[in-house]
Amino acid sequence: MNPLARRAVAELVGTAFLVMAVVGSGIAAQRLSPHDTGLQLLENSLATGAVLVALILALQPVSASFNPVVTLVERALGLIGSREAGALVTAQFVGGAIGAVLANLMFDLDAVSWSGHERSGGGIWLGEVVATVGLVLLVFGSLRGGRPESVALVVGGYIAAAYWFTSSTSFANPAVTVARMFSDTFAGIAPSSVPMFVLMQLIGGVLALGLVRFLFAAHVPEVVR
């Protein structure tokens, strides 16, 4: 198989399973702990953090970004080319949508049910910027430090924690954000809230790119043309 096709499939499958974990555990938490929102968030965050560790460890030899912001920062740093970045980002969005549909179906819900969960406001938008800056910085900091094997634990641990310390519960991923609007459940987000979330994530990615270039300047390669 073409190497780029293999990478795209890894991103599609990985993002699909990530969204299944986010949405599916949210549905399960809602049903198992219907009267305790804090416990629901704990269950959702632990499942998401754990699946991230597992997916990154398994798929990292092929491709394991599962996040358009991370992929775009890779492109900006010259680690991948434009054609590759486009294919991987497309695969991430498609995989996310598939994951949301499968999570809904596993719990006997409609394949697609538009979320009515509005998430908006200055504090929440700031939370998405903070969450994304932290995620991207930790990913590339681990890689620049010559510790690629640590990325899985770093990302899984960070996201599980960021569910709690950010006001937005740390989506920090445009593909996952778009996918979550397809499920009117605990983890869902209303379509009207998605554009600002994605914009804040992109802003966070740009800020993180600046930090990565500044902090790890000696390790950043020339940009691929």
Side-chain angles (χ1 to χ4, degrees):
M1 181 183 288
N2 179 284
L4 179 54
R6 188 161 45 243
R7 290 199 67 186
V9 170
E11 290 292 336
L12 186 151
V13 171
T15 310
F17 272 96
L18 171 57
V19 172
M20 276 190 275
V22 172
V23 174
S25 65
I27 296 170
Q30 208 169 17
R31 292 181 179 180
L32 294 170
S33 311
H35 307 299
D36 192 333
T37 304
L39 185 55
Q40 291 172 12
L41 186 62
L42 177 63
E43 293 159 349
N44 196 203
S45 64
L46 291 177
T48 302
V51 84
L52 272 168
V53 173
L55 288 170
I56 294 172
L57 284 174
L59 294 175
Q60 194 174 38
V62 183
S63 188
S65 296
F66 317 139
N67 189 329
V69 172
V70 173
T71 299
L72 291 174
V73 172
E74 286 183 296
R75 173 62 190 97
L77 293 175
L79 301 177
I80 59 176
S82 297
R83 177 172 171 269
E84 188 175 9
L88 299 182
V89 168
T90 300
Q92 290 157 358
F93 276 104
V94 172
I98 291 171
V101 169
L102 289 174
N104 287 333
L105 292 174
M106 283 193 293
F107 287 90
D108 294 322
L109 301 173
D110 291 339
V112 173
S113 56
W114 298 106
S115 177
H117 191 169
E118 295 285 345
R119 300 174 188 261
S120 64
I124 289 176
W125 296 332
L126 176 60
E128 271 304 282
V129 175
V130 170
T132 308
V133 169
L135 174 62
V136 175
L137 183 62
L138 290 176
V139 168
F140 287 94
S142 299
L143 293 173
R144 293 291 181 259
R147 297 163 292 149
E149 70 285 348
S150 70
V151 173
L153 293 174
V154 168
V155 171
Y158 174 78
I159 290 297
Y163 262 69
W164 291 89
F165 75 76
T166 64
S167 55
S168 63
T169 66
S170 184
F171 284 47
N173 184 326
V176 171
T177 302
V178 169
R180 287 168 69 165
M181 73 182 184
F182 297 128
S183 186
D184 191 20
T185 57
F186 178 78
I189 178 172
S192 60
S193 299
V194 168
M196 281 300 293
F197 261 62
V198 172
L199 176 60
M200 294 303 107
Q201 291 156 3
L202 293 174
I203 290 172
V206 171
L207 294 174
L209 173 62
L211 280 173
V212 169
R213 286 190 181 279
F214 178 76
L215 294 173
F216 308 105
H219 304 285
V220 176
E222 293 297 322
V223 174
V224 174
R225 298 297 179 187

